[in-house]
Structure formats: C-alpha cells, structure tokens
C-alpha cells in the first residue's frame, strides 16, 4: 500500500474523510500505530514531558527530536502502509530563518516527512523558505506549549472575538505562504470549525472539537498513562480489556465514524 503523504491528507480533506494522528517516540509504538491505521505519527516535543520527565517542552533539543524521529521512522517503515512522520522543531530551534532551515534539515534527514512549528504569521518567511527547499510544514496555532510562559499557562486560546478573527486571518496567511497542514490546540470548537471551513489545507485538532479534518492525541494520554492532570479533551481508549493495538484501532475508528471527540471533549467560546 502507498505510504501516507501530504497528498493523501489533502485528498481525505477534499472527500470529507477524517484522518488520525498520534504521537510516537519509538519504533515499536510507531509500527503498532501505523498498523492500526493512524495516518500521521507526530514525533512531538511532548516527549519532553512524557518520555524525559520534564514539566514542559522547553528543555527538548533538536538532537533529541532527531533521535526519536529516526526510531519512529524505522518502526513505521515496517508497517504495511507507513504513516506520514511529522516532527516538531523544538523551543528556539527556529528563532531565525537559518536556525529553522538547519534544524529542519536535521530532522528530515533523520526520517521525518514534515516539520511542525508553533506560532502564527511571524512564521511566514520560514514556511516560504522551507517550501522552496521541499520541506512540508505544519503550523501549530492556539495553545502553543513552547510559549507557555508567555501565555501564562496551558489555557484555551481564541475565546475573544478579536483573537478568534486574528487566528482566522493568520491561518489564511499561512496557507497563502505555502503551509501544508495546520494544527489547532485548545481553541473553541466553533472557531476550529470556522478555520477548517475557511482554509483549503487539512486542519488537525486537539481540544478543538469534532469539525477539524483530523484529530491528534498524545499516545500516553489515550492509553490512560497520564500521571498528572488529565485534560478535558483526552479519552482513554485502553479500556474494556483492550490491548494497545486494539486501543489504537478503537481511536482511529472513533475518529473516522465521528464518535470521538464528543461535545464534552471540546471548549465553548
Ligand atoms: O508535542 C506534541 O505532542 C504536540 C501535540 C500536543 C499536538 O504538539
């Protein structure tokens, strides 16, 4: 079967078919998730929290991201239909255009198919440059964990009308600059639905309601391995006697048939 690419995701959006994404940090879980039908494996800098034991993503380095990307890429290649591997550029790894290009090179050469960066329209020059170099980009907006100190905590973004309008404008500008995918974290479900309907590129949501084109969860959260506060948007799929493979399959099925996320997993404006 053909590996998942950005063209696959675009075609799924165009057909109105939902797709799934899960974080992965090692070869075994990457292979199991791809075999369960997950389309996008996100090597998230959340590995700072769930693998390294930090209380934020800030300590994660580009070398850490490249190491975990290489492991995920090896496991993914063993699956019958490999997923698309998307890797976060970590905190301060794209403060300048030169840093962004160099660090994107490192994770792409480690096995990523796409990079993800957090921010808004200030990323336009980087998105354009990466596109010219043949690097697909996902821009992560809303609650951007690398900016937790500036945001004053992990809180829902875009509740106010002016902030919501600005987010829509930023998404349109990023699409025009060549962004391939957008990811919205912890924004009101109505705003995520508006952005998904406004842009032509695929939109992935986490804590963003049911109307985005795709959904993503941190693997540890959806396996009920959360050791601290469990966010409202999380559902534990490792229940009812399921094993890990069955939990991954249940997640993909519930996203595709619209059962997950339910209204209770979203935020109001
Ligand atoms: O790093 C990560 O796991 C992420 C998800 C929360 C979307 O960016």
């Amino acid at each position: 079967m053909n590996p998942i690419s950005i063209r696959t995701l675009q075609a799924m959006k165009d057909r109105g078919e939902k797709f799934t994404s899960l974080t992965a940090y090692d070869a075994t879980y990457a292979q199991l998730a791809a075999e369960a039908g997950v389309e996008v494996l996100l090597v998230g800098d959340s590995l700072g929290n769930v693998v390294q034991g930090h209380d934020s993503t800030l300590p994660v380095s580009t070398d850490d991201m490249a190491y975990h990307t290489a492991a995920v890429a090896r496991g993914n290649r063993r699956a019958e239909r490999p997923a698309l591997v998307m890797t976060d550029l970590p905190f301060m790894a794209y403060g300048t255009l030169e840093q962004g290009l160099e660090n994107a090179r490192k994770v792409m050469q480690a096995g990523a198919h796409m990079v993800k960066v957090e921010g808004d329209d200030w990323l336009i020059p980087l998105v354009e440059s990466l596109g010219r170099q043949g690097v697909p980009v996902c821009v992560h907006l809303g609650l951007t964990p690398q900016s937790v100190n500036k945001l004053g905590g992990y809180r829902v973004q875009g509740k106010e009308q002016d902030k919501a309008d600005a987010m829509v404008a930023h998404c349109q500008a990023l699409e025009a600059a060549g962004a391939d995918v957008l990811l919205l974290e912890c924004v009101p479900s109505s705003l995520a639905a508006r952005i998904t309907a406004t842009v032509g590129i695929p939109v992935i949501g986490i804590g963003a309601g049911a109307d985005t084109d795709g959904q993503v969860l941190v693997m540890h959260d959806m396996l009920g391995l959360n050791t601290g506060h469990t966010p409202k948007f999380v559902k534990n799929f490792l229940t009812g006697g399921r094993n890990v493979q069955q939990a991954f399959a249940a997640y993909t099925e519930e996203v595709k048939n619209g059962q997950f996320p339910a209204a209770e997993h979203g935020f109001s404006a």
Side-chain angles (χ1 to χ4, degrees):
M1 265 198 264
N2 285 338
I4 304 293
S5 70
I6 54 169
R7 285 168 57 89
T8 321
L9 303 183
Q10 186 66 57
M12 290 179 84
K13 173 172 181 129
D14 296 344
R15 287 198 298 271
E17 199 182 320
K18 302 282 184 193
F19 60 87
T20 54
S21 176
L22 259 187
T23 63
Y25 316 101
D26 71 23
T28 303
Y29 285 105
Q31 180 177 351
L32 293 179
E35 284 172 349
V38 169
E39 278 91 1
V40 181
L41 298 176
L42 169 60
V43 187
D45 59 357
S46 53
L47 69 85
N49 304 82
V50 298
V51 178
Q52 296 176 334
H54 298 295
D55 60 6
S56 79
T57 61
L58 272 60
V60 177
S61 69
T62 305
D63 286 345
D64 294 335
M65 297 310 300
Y67 173 87
H68 287 278
T69 298
V72 165
R74 283 190 286 269
N76 184 44
R77 279 195 287 270
R78 292 190 210 124
E80 194 189 335
R81 186 207 55 171
L84 181 139
V85 176
M86 171 160 86
T87 295
D88 270 326
L89 294 189
F91 179 63
M92 296 292 276
Y94 45 101
T96 67
L97 205 51
E98 291 67 29
Q99 284 176 325
L101 293 176
E102 172 56 10
N103 290 322
R105 180 190 68 73
K106 286 188 186 167
V107 300
M108 293 298 284
Q109 289 185 336
H113 303 120
M114 174 182 254
V115 299
K116 176 162 82 61
V117 285
E118 297 184 4
D120 48 41
D121 60 350
W122 70 269
L123 290 167
I124 285 174
L126 179 62
V127 169
E128 288 172 342
S129 284
L130 287 169
R132 279 195 294 273
Q133 302 290 331
V135 179
V137 190
C138 172
V139 181
H140 179 155
L141 302 99
L143 169 51
T144 47
Q146 292 171 14
S147 303
V148 59
N149 294 300
K150 187 79 176 168
L151 297 175
Y154 296 98
R155 46 185 74 246
V156 180
Q157 303 294 311
K159 274 172 137 356
E160 308 80 4
Q161 193 60 48
D162 58 331
K163 299 268 172 47
D165 292 343
M167 205 184 295
V168 174
H170 290 153
C171 289
Q172 289 176 303
L174 287 160
E175 177 181 27
D180 299 277
V181 174
L182 301 174
L183 188 149
L184 303 175
E185 177 166 353
C186 289
V187 302
S189 305
S190 55
L191 174 58
R194 183 177 157 202
I195 291 171
T196 306
T198 302
V199 299
I201 53 177
V203 179
I204 303 176
I206 175 165
D211 291 319
T212 54
D213 305 302
Q215 296 290 331
V216 62
L217 282 177
V218 170
M219 182 192 73
H220 292 61
D221 288 346
M222 58 79 71
L223 293 179
L225 300 176
N226 197 305
T227 51
H229 161 75
T230 301
K232 168 178 199 221
F233 54 79
V234 167
K235 176 170 176 179
N236 178 3
F237 287 88
L238 192 62
T239 54
R242 287 182 188 134
N243 62 26
V244 168
Q245 288 99 317
Q246 288 164 337
F248 289 167
Y251 167 61
T252 61
E253 190 181 325
E254 288 200 17
V255 169
K256 285 178 193 294
N257 70 22
Q259 252 180 282
F260 179 78
E264 80 218 40
H265 300 115
F267 299 99
S268 56

